[in-house]
Amino acid sequence: MPEPGGAAVSSKLVLEYDGSDFAGWARQPGERTVQAELERALAVALRLPLEPVPVTVAGRTDRGVHAWGQVASYVGEPASVLSLNALLPRDVAVLSCEPAPAGFDARRDALSRTYCYRILARRTRSAHERGRALFWPQRIDLDALDACAAALIGTHDFTAFTPTETDHVRFERDVFAASWRPRGDILEFWIEADSFLRQMNRVLVGTMLEVAGGRRSVADFAGLLHGRARADAGATAAPHGLYLAGVRYG
Amino acid sequence: MPEPGGAAVSSKLVLEYDGSDFAGWARQPGERTVQAELERALAVALRLPLEPVPVTVAGRTDRGVHAWGQVASYVGEPASVLSLNALLPRDVAVLSCEPAPAGFDARRDALSRTYCYRILARRTRSAHERGRALFWPQRIDLDALDACAAALIGTHDFTAFTPTETDHVRFERDVFAASWRPRGDILEFWIEADSFLRQMNRVLVGTMLEVAGGRRSVADFAGLLHGRARADAGATAAPHGLYLAGVRYG
């Protein structure tokens, strides 16, 4: 929909989803994905049923990962939030859909992404946190976790924290903030960085939990931040504890 | 299992459940109930597979109502929490199972029950709060809600807040505490009373939401607390916002 002046109108969309029943964000044939659901709803809301509206996203979350504040953009007028939420399935909700500066691109223009990983740190599982937090009844040394978080801040090479088979070409990332925050039975890991490698947060959490359990030292963890091999880092924590919390723009 | 001395051993069990897929607490033929699941698991954990262990509960929650801190009792030794949670479905979890004073009865000995009703008070629905909070995009006058809560404290006749067809014989209840607490997008109603009539909390919340929307006065609400008819009160709020938060004993 080009404007009379010629410049294409862009829109910015903030959405949340429960990733439990999705094969992640990115459209894949034969899979239920957030992108496919959103593009289908957008096409109907914008009355363009024959040409699905391609959407660009700030964080391509993996299968099972949740979002509180995912941001997407598309070329076109804003759609009605009420219509979108009526058209979307119950596990996706649009929080806002507003005009954006011409050429706005949710991925390219993002200054940082913030993720939160939630851990249920107690001895018994929970009926309410299943699928929403990692159940971790093992020992957790919070001081060790705090030291790991402090080591994360700054620019590092995260090669050790993403699968060896990769599409990434650059493995350095700028971590602006990282901290562990206990909230009752729930222990949250918050991290803000310019962007993230695939599975980076889950391998970070899996490796830090080894430190928290005394099976790896803080120094060993910090040593991994210099471009070591994936095999040197720890397990990949389950996706259901991870939330894309928000995206920052200029 | 009588003790050598003769007095029967009692056990106290604290549990949480997601009520979404249950027809409430109380066992009913052909229905999935928390009581039936718990008694089945207890019989296996206590190695009494042929004689299900009858359990008494502090709050008989209705279909769709959740619990964070339900308390149940039974005659018998404590069962292993680990075993119980392995035997129970994912939407029920036992938090503790401990020896109780001889003759302990979770219902009769309870001094008070505390419930929380959660409302998602914003304009757009949520992917994460579906089934966990009442979505209420309408106007909410928090001052009016506070005035209603204040009116609730004390001893009142709650006939107006329970179905007309009833098994209750006494309609007075002592409300020890009642308050509305905003927590971000979520507005919580907390109430502690000696005990509750069937559906009482849901009718209270439904009626208070009419006050919050300007469709009923605080004075009218307060007037209902003198044994008025059910027809004079408001709608019954949906069960999925309601949580049995805890039970107090001497």
Side-chain angles (χ1 to χ4, degrees), chain B residues 47-242:
Chain B
R47 299 171 195 276
L48 301 166
L50 296 181
E51 34 178 329
V53 181
V55 154
T56 301
V57 78
R60 288 164 54 103
T61 52
D62 276 335
R63 181 186 298 269
V65 174
H66 315 293
W68 290 322
Q70 175 71 282
V71 179
S73 60
Y74 62 91
V75 176
E77 304 284 346
S80 146
V81 170
L82 212 66
S83 301
L84 285 175
N85 283 330
L87 291 162
L88 284 166
R90 278 161 45 95
D91 45 1
V92 188
V94 169
L95 304 179
S96 65
C97 185
E98 291 171 346
F104 173 74
D105 182 297
R107 177 170 191 167
R108 198 190 52 224
D109 295 346
L111 300 181
S112 76
R113 286 86 174 158
T114 298
Y115 280 84
C116 174
Y117 196 99
R118 300 178 73 246
I119 293 172
L120 177 68
R122 69 180 198 191
R123 283 178 29 215
T124 53
R125 66 176 177 79
S126 164
H128 298 289
E129 294 294 346
R130 71 201 153 105
R132 306 166 58 87
L134 177 71
F135 172 44
W136 196 257
Q138 302 177 42
R139 185 164 81 87
I140 292 186
D141 176 344
L142 195 53
D143 289 338
L145 287 181
D146 287 341
C148 290
L152 277 170
I153 296 170
T155 304
H156 305 287
D157 182 326
F158 288 94
T159 304
F161 297 95
T162 195
T164 310
E165 290 212 13
T166 184
D167 293 333
H168 296 296
V169 291
R170 196 178 59 81
F171 296 87
E172 286 206 338
R173 292 295 184 272
D174 297 331
V175 176
F176 304 127
S179 61
W180 286 89
R181 303 183 196 164
R183 293 177 55 170
D185 284 342
I186 298 287
L187 181 57
E188 295 179 350
F189 173 62
W190 286 83
I191 182 167
E192 179 184 5
D194 56 347
S195 68
F196 291 85
L197 303 173
R198 184 136 184 272
Q199 293 186 10
M200 173 171 151
N201 283 311
R202 292 164 56 197
V203 185
L204 281 173
V205 168
T207 308
M208 284 190 280
L209 284 175
E210 294 180 7
V211 179
R215 288 176 284 132
R216 184 190 288 269
S217 70
V218 174
D220 179 282
F221 175 78
L224 296 169
L225 300 169
H226 303 294
R228 294 271 287 284
R230 173 66 186 89
D232 295 336
T236 308
H240 66 262
L242 186 60

Side-chain angles (χ1 to χ4, degrees), chain A residues 16-17 67 85 125-128, chain B residues 16-17 67 85 125-128:
Chain A
E16 54 173 38
Y17 44 87
N85 283 331
R125 66 176 175 79
S126 164
H128 298 288
Chain B
E16 54 173 38
Y17 44 87
N85 283 330
R125 66 176 177 79
S126 164
H128 298 289

Side-chain angles (χ1 to χ4, degrees), chain B residues 13-24:
Chain B
L13 205 142
V14 181
L15 68 156
E16 54 173 38
Y17 44 87
D18 177 336
S20 307
D21 296 331
F22 285 107

